[in-house]
Amino acid sequence: MELIFELSSPGRGAHAQHPPVAADLSVVPSALRRASPPKLPEVSELQAVRHYTQLSRRNFSIDTHFYPLGSCTMKYNPRACNRLAMLPEFLGRHPLAPESHSQGYLACLYELQEMLREVTGMAAVSLTPMAGAQGEFAGVAMIRAYHRARGDEARREILVPDAAHGTNPATATMLGYVAREIPTNAQGDVDIEKLKAAVGPQTAGIMLTNPSTLGVFERRIKEIAGIVHAAGGLLYYDGANLNAILGKVRPGDMGFDVIHMNLHKTFSTPHGGGGPGAGAVGFSERLKPFMPIPIVGKAETRSDNGSSPAFPESRIPGPESRRYRWLTEKDLPQTIGRLSAFMGNAGVLLRAYVYARMLGREGMHRVAEFATLNANYLQARLKAAGYDLAFPTRRASHEFIVTLKKQKQELDLTATDVAKRLLDHGYHAPTVYFPLLVPECLLIEPTETEDLQTLDAFVEAMISIWNEARTDMSKLKGAPWTLPVRRLDDVRCARQLDLRWTPG
Ligand SMILES: *Cc1c(COP(=O)(O)O)cnc(C)c1O
């Protein structure tokens, strides 16, 4: 396919899209003005439309393909969420608009805070972090602020199970902690004896994912909470993916003190390619003074008849036009501060709000039920087809792991071979080589939004790959055959990526 610059010919353009405007350039200081026009491709409107449409069709996306990417939930993004988040009243709102002009927008964010608070069982929620990793940073910064406020400066370690997402030890390190690894046992649970040996007066907290990134639910979570709390540490819940427990089990009830959740995974806002996200944080009563700002507070009115507001500091009677307001440093002097301009990704938060409202209480349960049903169905069918499970005695949560350790030794079949061949069958590959604990692994997450036909067709593709590994290995080693590029050099792609085009 040609580059759009190669389609360019002098004088062509898409004038219908751009009626000339007589701009008054005198308002732009001369130092900021271009000396010569930018070197843009000169193409017709039709050329531009075809070019970008063709490019977009070379992508894998949830809108075009089944995308069973473990750990990074890729579920369907309902169009209604886009439609409502893009109402002109939201899009046209200036971020510095006064509160009295923003009551509708603030009400949406307040209700989102409340829904997330309730579904996680925490005392309050802040929406300001713009990614899961930033939510982790906020949560661990609150743990640090809590210990510091008590003059407890000796706590230098954060415990992280070896199954954890890489962002967990990275977060602990960024906040100046030593990340201390806790091993997992053969069933995929935290090794309790090793945990007991590791906790002490140096423990600031533990970062846990439950269900873990191994796809299994940590059964002794209450015991773990007891051990860490007894040593004076706090519990951090990596809630990037709540799909398996949404509306069923609450991290607050498991004993966690602080949690982040990826609205761009569980709450179905579009992501991928490093796109915008939201890593809302929830926290227990004792961490509330340190929460990141701003958050939305609600002033009490007579119609609120006694329901307890999440933020008692916002009990300021006021006129209806000032019912919702930003709470800032003035309200929360011990806050860890601001993490984003204004308050996070407005468009992402609005989509998540609409999604949560559309689900309602009943729908949240059903997300967890269908996410786990789909994962367990796929797990059982792949097992019957001959694939080895990393934890064959455990039920899947929202995801599960297939390992090709044996097939690698016997046939030289690797996780990469399966992943690349799946592309030829029209499926985005599952996550491969993560978690690091399991050799030649595929971490598969179907999500609740896929139907039985899609899951069955995926199993058929996996069976055909299984058979090819025994009859014609070259089909697998050379895959993908149907895409614009064959197998790339992964290391050079990452280390020497060169996407710049310069005129010849
Ligand atoms: C995706 C993910 C994260 C990080 O979220 P980002 O939004 O990519 O920063 C952290 N933990 C787990 C378990 C995840 O799946």
Side-chain angles (χ1 to χ4, degrees):
M1 191 172 156
E2 282 157 310
L3 298 175
I4 195 159
F5 288 95
E6 293 165 343
L7 302 174
S8 182
S9 59
R12 263 202 202 154
H15 298 289
Q17 290 293 321
H18 242 292
V21 264
D24 176 12
L25 286 181
S26 65
V27 297
V28 181
S30 59
L32 296 179
R33 273 184 244 157
R34 285 179 178 281
S36 56
K39 292 195 177 63
L40 295 176
E42 295 178 83
V43 293
S44 71
E45 181 175 336
L46 178 57
Q47 278 179 311
V49 167
R50 280 202 183 132
H51 179 78
Y52 287 108
T53 305
Q54 278 169 16
L55 267 188
S56 75
R57 287 168 63 172
R58 297 184 162 210
N59 273 341
F60 275 74
S61 69
I62 328 170
D63 292 347
T64 52
H65 299 86
F66 178 40
Y67 206 134
L69 194 69
S71 191
C72 280
T73 311
M74 299 298 282
K75 62 169 83 169
Y76 173 62
N77 310 135
R79 289 299 178 271
C81 302
N82 285 347
R83 287 278 295 272
L84 293 174
M86 289 175 72
L87 287 173
E89 289 80 358
F90 287 132
L91 286 184
R93 187 188 156 269
H94 194 283
L96 292 174
E99 288 160 342
S100 58
H101 293 192
S102 311
Q103 288 295 299
Y105 174 65
L106 291 177
C108 292
L109 297 186
Y110 180 82
E111 286 179 19
L112 179 61
Q113 287 171 184
E114 289 294 291
M115 288 186 285
L116 296 177
R117 171 174 84 95
E118 200 169 319
V119 82
T120 56
M122 306 309 288
V125 163
S126 163
L127 303 173
T128 154
M130 311 229 288
Q134 207 189 18
E136 287 178 35
F137 185 87
V140 176
M142 289 167 72
I143 291 179
R144 187 175 68 175
Y146 168 81
H147 290 308
R148 279 189 179 163
R150 294 154 50 91
D152 195 351
E153 301 278 352
R155 300 187 180 271
R156 307 290 334 129
E157 281 182 7
I158 294 274
L159 306 175
V160 185
D162 53 5
H165 197 265
T167 46
N168 294 183
T171 296
T173 307
M174 279 182 73
L175 283 148
Y177 285 111
V178 174
R180 179 160 175 183
E181 201 171 275
I182 305 293
T184 303
N185 66 25
Q187 285 76 48
D189 292 317
V190 167
D191 186 326
I192 298 271
E193 292 313 312
K194 297 270 167 54
L195 173 68
K196 280 184 185 157
V199 295
Q202 77 289 357
T203 307
I206 186 169
M207 297 181 84
L208 267 185
T209 311
N210 195 22
S212 72
T213 53
L214 301 174
V216 298
F217 190 82
E218 176 59 67
R219 293 168 289 192
R220 295 168 77 180
I221 183 59
K222 288 226 151 169
E223 199 180 336
I224 294 172
I227 294 167
V228 176
H229 280 151
L234 298 185
L235 275 89
Y236 183 93
Y237 184 93
D238 179 339
N241 311 286
L242 293 174
N243 254 21
I245 63 162
L246 202 62
K248 295 281 181 188
V249 181
R250 306 194 310 167
D253 299 335
M254 292 187 228
F256 284 92
D257 300 282
V258 53
I259 162 181
H260 88 268
M261 52 211 124
N262 282 14
L263 305 188
H264 49 291
K265 294 179 184 170
T266 311
F267 288 85
S268 193
T269 65
H271 67 126
V281 277
F283 27 85
S284 60
E285 204 60 50
R286 59 177 156 176
L287 288 179
K288 262 170 79 174
F290 312 106
M291 68 174 98
I293 48 160
I295 53 158
V296 182
K298 181 183 175 188
E300 285 222 313
T301 65
R302 238 174 284 148
S303 62
D304 283 337
N305 57 32
S307 70
S308 71
F311 304 100
E313 48 281 74
S314 68
R315 280 174 193 268
I316 313 148
E320 202 63 20
S321 66
R322 291 291 306 276
R323 191 158 196 218
Y324 297 95
R325 68 178 189 94
W326 298 114
L327 301 184
T328 64
E329 300 83 339
K330 286 195 214 81
D331 310 277
L332 296 153
Q334 286 181 283
T335 173
I336 59 162
R338 284 168 196 268
L339 293 160
S340 58
F342 306 107
M343 201 189 83
N345 275 318
V348 174
L349 297 174
L350 287 169
R351 280 170 179 76
Y353 170 69
V354 177
Y355 179 73
R357 286 292 301 264
M358 288 200 310
L359 284 180
R361 241 172 246 278
E362 234 358 84
M364 298 235 182
H365 288 268
R366 286 162 63 84
V367 165
E369 284 161 11
F370 283 97
T372 49
L373 178 64
N374 279 357
N376 280 285
Y377 176 75
L378 259 195
Q379 171 169 275
R381 287 219 54 198
L382 291 179
K383 187 179 172 192
Y387 283 98
D388 293 327
L389 304 175
F391 300 99
T393 63
R394 302 294 302 270
R395 258 176 45 191
S397 55
H398 54 294
E399 59 191 353
F400 62 95
I401 303 176
V402 161
T403 171
L404 299 171
K405 186 178 170 198
K406 219 162 72 203
Q407 290 72 33
K408 170 87 197 311
Q409 283 159 2
E410 292 170 2
L411 304 164
D412 191 33
L413 176 68
T414 65
T416 303
D417 298 333
V418 174
K420 297 291 184 191
R421 191 63 174 138
L422 276 172
L423 301 174
D424 287 332
H425 285 276
Y427 298 109
H428 191 286
T431 298
V432 289
Y433 301 105
F434 176 81
L436 305 175
L437 282 185
V438 185
E440 295 302 328
C441 65
L442 300 159
L443 178 58
I444 303 174
E445 178 179 359
T447 83
E448 75 284 5
T449 58
E450 298 297 336
D451 59 22
L452 185 60
Q453 287 85 345
T454 306
L455 302 184
D456 284 339
F458 178 74
V459 172
E460 289 311 314
M462 290 291 281
I463 292 173
S464 119
I465 291 171
W466 186 254
N467 294 334
E468 258 170 6
R470 279 151 191 84
T471 54
D472 188 359
M473 190 54 118
S474 65
K475 280 262 177 49
L476 298 180
K477 290 290 171 195
W481 302 95
T482 55
L483 299 189
V485 290
R486 294 277 98 78
R487 251 185 234 203
L488 303 173
D489 179 334
D490 300 346
V491 177
R492 272 187 56 216
C493 287
R495 298 283 153 82
Q496 293 169 28
L497 188 66
D498 180 8
L499 298 175
R500 210 156 31 154
W501 181 82
T502 33

